[in-house]
Amino acid sequence: MFRALLVAACAASAAAFAPSSVLPRAGARVAASKGPSMQLWGDGSAQGLSINAVPFLQRPPALDGTLAGDVGFDPVGFSNYIDLRWLREAELKHGRVCMLGVTGLIAQEFVTLPMFQNGKTPVDDFFVVPAAGLWQVFFAIGAIEFFTNGFKLTPGDMFSEGREAGDLGFDPLGCGKNPEALARRRLVEVKNGRLAMIAFGGMLHQQLLTKQGTIEQLVNFKAIQ
């Protein structure tokens, strides 16, 4: 039954990308050609306001479209009470961590460090690491958080020197030299970060439930017993 539902879902998803057997009317093709293009940070003030992720809710006033990836999604209304820069900082950091986390969950299925033994799944590898090693990781992350923010960690003082959310001055490859390229990269980072947060949560729970690595389950699927 589960496999039948899975096949049906895949077929339905694929149908969305299949070409239509009937060509759309000329008016429809013209309207489609004038649709919104990819939102960029530089022109987000105009284009972002034209997109509302939750059409039946009023767009929060703080979400004015100037931030990369702003599509007016804030159904709980956090932006009405918390500094938007603080929220964007949190979103970017969680996205960056999850992009690394997803890579780690996949890499650990194939890579084993010397003097260590992998667990049954990459998630189990967490419990293989000695307690002293986990504390080292914990304190290292804390130190990085403190020093990169200049010991300013609250919404009231984190941006007192005028830095932008997520900008920690780390750009060894000079990706921010071209303003147009930087605008696109900011949007790409936000969208990939959001996808990674969803993916990491899915992969984590998949491994906890199935006791298989993500790639292993794709190659050798086993139903949950």
Side-chain angles (χ1 to χ4, degrees):
M1 182 65 180
F2 177 78
R3 292 189 177 182
L5 291 174
L6 184 62
V7 170
C10 292
S13 301
F17 298 93
S20 174
S21 58
V22 180
L23 291 176
R25 296 177 181 271
R29 293 199 298 270
V30 172
S33 65
K34 294 182 179 180
S37 58
M38 178 178 283
Q39 179 202 0
L40 295 180
W41 179 82
D43 60 5
S45 181
Q47 190 173 352
L49 288 175
S50 66
I51 305 172
N52 193 358
V54 190
F56 54 85
L57 293 180
Q58 184 178 2
R59 187 186 182 97
L63 300 181
D64 58 1
T66 55
L67 288 177
D70 177 7
V71 292
F73 183 79
D74 185 16
V76 183
F78 288 121
S79 60
N80 295 328
Y81 309 100
I82 306 174
D83 189 339
L84 197 59
R85 296 172 298 178
W86 170 268
L87 296 174
R88 173 46 59 96
E89 179 89 6
E91 181 181 31
L92 287 174
K93 285 190 175 180
H94 283 84
R96 291 165 181 172
V97 168
C98 284
M99 283 189 278
L100 293 172
V102 167
T103 304
L105 285 177
I106 295 175
Q108 285 178 249
E109 291 192 49
F110 308 99
V111 178
T112 303
L113 294 177
M115 301 177 64
F116 286 94
Q117 184 176 358
N118 283 357
K120 188 174 182 180
T121 67
V123 173
D124 292 331
D125 293 346
F126 175 84
F127 303 99
V128 176
V129 179
L134 294 177
W135 280 111
Q136 290 176 15
V137 173
F138 176 78
F139 284 116
I141 292 174
I144 292 172
E145 184 75 7
F146 273 97
F147 283 104
T148 54
N149 287 289
F151 296 90
K152 298 178 179 180
L153 301 177
T154 67
D157 62 7
M158 179 174 284
F159 308 101
S160 59
E161 297 180 359
R163 78 171 179 87
E164 294 185 27
D167 183 5
L168 303 176
F170 181 78
D171 187 15
L173 300 179
C175 296
K177 292 181 179 179
N178 186 334
E180 294 183 1
L182 178 61
R184 181 178 179 83
R185 289 187 177 110
R186 280 175 167 164
L187 179 62
V188 169
E189 180 183 34
V190 170
K191 289 191 172 183
N192 281 300
R194 291 169 179 171
L195 178 61
M197 286 187 276
I198 297 173
F200 184 83
M203 293 167 67
L204 177 68
H205 287 85
Q206 168 261 317
Q207 293 187 22
L208 289 172
L209 290 172
T210 66
K211 303 303 179 183
Q212 287 182 288
T214 302
I215 304 300
E216 178 191 356
Q217 191 187 40
L218 290 174
V219 176
N220 183 24
F221 176 80
K222 294 180 181 178
I224 299 175
Q225 300 297 328

